[in-house]
Amino acid sequence: MNTTAQNSMSSAAMPQPQTVFSAERLLRIRDVCHVTGLARSTVYAKINEAGFPQPVRLHGKCVAWKASEVSAWIASLPRVSM
């Protein structure tokens, strides 16, 4: 067996590493307020009412929101008919 065949066979037999990186963007409170048009206090009030996505803890008191969850919340809002 030649070297090229051995290399391709051995690499095919090796388990492929799984990608753990996610392209999910995290939004800080300033960004959440900007994209939703809500004030900071309103964001936290809506979290307490269970009507808004929960933040994820980054470290200590530092939190952020998953952009996909905030986008889904925005998409779920009823449209205004005029």
Side-chain angles (χ1 to χ4, degrees):
M1 190 180 293
N2 65 28
T3 317
T4 307
Q6 287 176 341
N7 287 343
S8 65
M9 187 186 311
S10 63
S11 65
M14 293 178 58
Q16 298 298 318
Q18 293 183 348
T19 304
V20 292
F21 175 75
S22 173
E24 179 73 55
R25 180 161 185 232
L26 296 175
L27 304 173
R28 299 295 301 272
I29 186 65
R30 181 178 298 174
D31 301 322
V32 171
C33 293
H34 179 75
V35 299
T36 61
L38 300 173
R40 176 187 179 105
S41 58
T42 306
V43 169
Y44 284 106
K46 289 195 171 292
I47 290 169
N48 289 335
E49 296 168 1
F52 199 79
Q54 292 289 317
V56 294
R57 185 164 309 281
L58 301 177
H59 63 86
K61 294 182 179 181
C62 183
V63 297
W65 285 259
K66 292 182 178 181
S68 62
E69 292 179 2
V70 174
S71 294
W73 178 83
I74 293 170
S76 73
L77 294 174
R79 294 187 181 261
V80 177
S81 59
M82 295 188 171

